[in-house]
Amino acid sequence: MPDHIKFFESLSGAGKAIAVLTSGGDAQGMNAAVRAVVRMGIYVGAKVYFIHEGYQGMVDGGDNIKEATWEGVSSMLQVGGTVIGSARCKEFRTHEGRLKAAHNLVQRGITNLCVIGGDGSLTGANLFREEWSGLLDELVQQGLIDAEAAKKYYALHIVGMVGSIDNDFCGTDMTIGTDSALHRIIEVVDAIMTTAQSHQRTFVLEVMGRHCGYLALVSALACGADWVLIPEMPPEDGWEEQMCQKLSETRSRGSRLNIIIVAEGAIDRHGKAITSSVVKDLVVRCLGFDTRVTILGHVQRGGTPSAFDRILASRMGVEAVLALLETTANTPACVVSLCGNQSVRLPLMECVQMTQEVQKAMDEKKFEEAVKLRGRSFENNLKTYKLLAHRKPESELPHSSFNVAVLNVGAPAAGMNAAVRSAVRVGITEGHKMFAVNDGFEGFYKGQIKEIKWGDVGGWTGQGGSLLGTKRTLPAKHTEKIAEQMRKHNINALLVIGGFEAYLGLMDLLAARGKYDEFCVPMVMVPATVSNNVPGSDFSIGADTALNAITNTCDRIKQSASGTKRRVFIIETMGGYCGYLATVGGLAAGADAAYIYEEPFDIRDLQANVEHLTEKMKTSIQRGLVLRNENSSENYTTDFIYQLYSEEGKGVFDCRKNVLGHMQQGGAPSPFDRNFGTKISAKAMQWISKKLKETYRQDEGRVFANTEDSACLLGMRRRALIFQPVVQLKDETDFVHRIPKEQWWLKLRPLMKILAKYKTSYDVSDAGQLEHVERNRPKETDASAI
């Protein structure tokens, strides 16, 4: 076993007591975090306690602090809000309140606290930790505890997880609940768009965010709103006239509706509130448009958590327990957080101070600074929105005289249309003439190419599938005809949006450069496939939507068995030979097992799984869930596994099977896929513009690019969006099974097994390092997935 790999078995929780509480406003995904803390804590041998009703329960004690059991959290994963309750507690803000809380914890031997809440809740926890030894001394003096107890429980360890739908906490890319809140907003916007179109109406939507405009900004980006108002970047004076002009122009181009999104804390440059009713009155007065207001309110906090929030919360919960096991008396209180697709630990007070600095900058009207302090992801969202929403007049556009073609290749994936819209509009803004190729490489060689304008892609972000049309045809046999079409339309650059076929297609075009000069142009690929099997990228457009489809279906399937006898469901997922959907979907749905090609299994493993489920079914757990990737094994088919479980489970549970099929490819794209597609595509187009300038030969009057780095794949790697020459990705690819040789998500498999009560090893080499909050990360390290 390599020396650098460290497993958590060395971290024993025996004799330790961990308490988990949720505080402040609730957020979807909090229950998934609670479940992960309870199960990981019990798994490592610690006693785990629920503290009901947040800090109020800690102060009141009694039945509010109860020991948690494994089975007690078995049906929490899909439930919104927080089942252990949350309350704002004035008493905990007083010294007397904290003294009572300390007494209640010491009585139960609790010295490890996992706090799930916003910055106020986490600041309170840190103050409690700093005062802890003084509080114990007071309790000794009052005769409430003895000196031995004070000595034994001398230090309080705290780990925070940020549960807030506003995503207003600095240091983390995403807080628990944000993605689910975006789902609620986008569901409403998509529904409103149909009625608005019918009546040619303008809708003003007010979303939450008293001090943070993240929800408003990202939902505006995800639905292509005409105007957005956020507290961090108030509009310039005279915005009323500009907005009305923009709305009027949109209508004059044939659009039948307008959408304006307002954060509840939106202000103008002078600090005056801009409410949804102010905006409505303005539109009616200046334009006479039929205008309606919709205030979303607490709908955004409700409902079932998204797949992203369940996975995020489960990873954070496990990481929080590991952090508590590794902490010492001198370790500062930390927050477990997400950066890119990696969990990190950051000093709690550094994050809190930076979050408070944002508010201070806004109070002092230093709005540019406030946006920067929010982080690179927020800043990028704002830049991308401005780039796509506001069309510059023809006179202000640079005239590059370059023609850029965009096409979809492979199977359809939700979010492809958002990526095309983004590419077209950024390309036009950069001064290029944009061409759309229908039906992938097949349409390319048949000449199905036409110019695409700004208005042609209006309303595309929320559309599922591929509006351009997409085929799996590879270009190798048709390079001559494709070269002819490129010559005919004078195509100077290519943007290919697609899955593994797009990757192979780009390599075919690269190989044909020696024969055809037409292919010596900048070419870039953006990964879009539900299978998430493209080398060079941890995420693909479409995979998040598919995960949500799997998770929602699994929830319904499990619910169908409630109140009946014990039942196990065998569910087959897509993915080719890539087990991403089965594994991550399994983690999000609370599966007992997930069979994949990358982790070979035999009859002994299947037998062990059946026995494990049989044992679980003898307790209070009534339902089991087993996922199988479609190509996980040639012989252990879904039918075989179903029959095996049915036979072996006789008398204990019965079995049902489901093949999810193409429903994983359909549906409206999730907010994550809309934004990931929009931002990654915008970045790809900016790269194309840069390469076109670099490779343009003035003397010959043409673009000539034949270096390795002129044909790239833009992918997300760990914490960064990076361009990688496709040639260099060859060695990382298993071409037979169409998967990357190394896949980051395989590290999540032990986590799924632990939460399903299997004994396993969990690599924690990446964990354990306390990092520091970076104020302004350099551009290339911005993951900016959402």
Side-chain angles (χ1 to χ4, degrees), residues 631-652:
N631 288 342
S632 56
S633 167
E634 200 178 334
N635 297 312
Y636 299 131
T637 61
T638 303
D639 280 337
F640 178 91
I641 292 170
Y642 162 66
Q643 286 164 359
L644 177 78
Y645 272 72
S646 297
E647 186 62 34
E648 296 296 318
K650 262 184 187 169
V652 182

Side-chain angles (χ1 to χ4, degrees), residues 49 61 70 72 82 96 109-110 132 135 138 202 206 252 361 417-418 441 469 552 554 568 689 764 773:
Y49 290 87
W70 189 280
T82 164
E96 293 72 24
I110 298 167
W132 182 257
L135 294 169
E138 276 186 62
T202 295
E206 186 181 298
S252 65
N417 298 320
F441 288 117
N552 294 339
C554 287
V568 172
S689 294
V764 294
V773 183

Side-chain angles (χ1 to χ4, degrees), residues 570-693:
I570 316 292
I571 292 169
E572 185 186 294
T573 66
M574 276 181 155
Y577 284 95
C578 179
Y580 175 81
L581 290 180
T583 298
V584 184
L587 182 59
D592 295 280
Y595 300 118
I596 62 167
Y597 166 77
E598 292 91 342
E599 198 175 275
F601 56 97
D602 57 24
I603 197 72
R604 287 178 293 277
D605 298 311
L606 291 169
Q607 184 62 35
N609 291 149
V610 173
E611 286 167 8
H612 183 82
L613 265 169
T614 306
E615 281 304 305
K616 276 174 77 172
M617 290 289 179
K618 286 174 183 172
T619 66
S620 60
I621 292 171
Q622 300 286 309
R623 287 158 290 180
L625 188 66
V626 175
L627 269 64
R628 178 191 174 272
N629 164 255
E630 59 185 349
N631 288 342
S632 56
S633 167
E634 200 178 334
N635 297 312
Y636 299 131
T637 61
T638 303
D639 280 337
F640 178 91
I641 292 170
Y642 162 66
Q643 286 164 359
L644 177 78
Y645 272 72
S646 297
E647 186 62 34
E648 296 296 318
K650 262 184 187 169
V652 182
F653 58 80
D654 67 358
C655 239
R656 294 288 184 275
K657 67 170 178 180
N658 269 276
V659 177
L660 299 185
H662 282 75
M663 66 166 292
Q664 295 159 85
Q665 270 183 358
S670 68
F672 183 99
D673 280 330
R674 296 181 194 202
N675 290 319
F676 186 46
T678 297
K679 286 161 74 173
I680 197 170
S681 199
K683 192 162 180 142
M685 275 309 303
Q686 286 166 334
W687 177 87
I688 282 175
S689 294
K690 183 168 146 276
K691 284 286 172 196
L692 284 168
K693 282 170 194 161

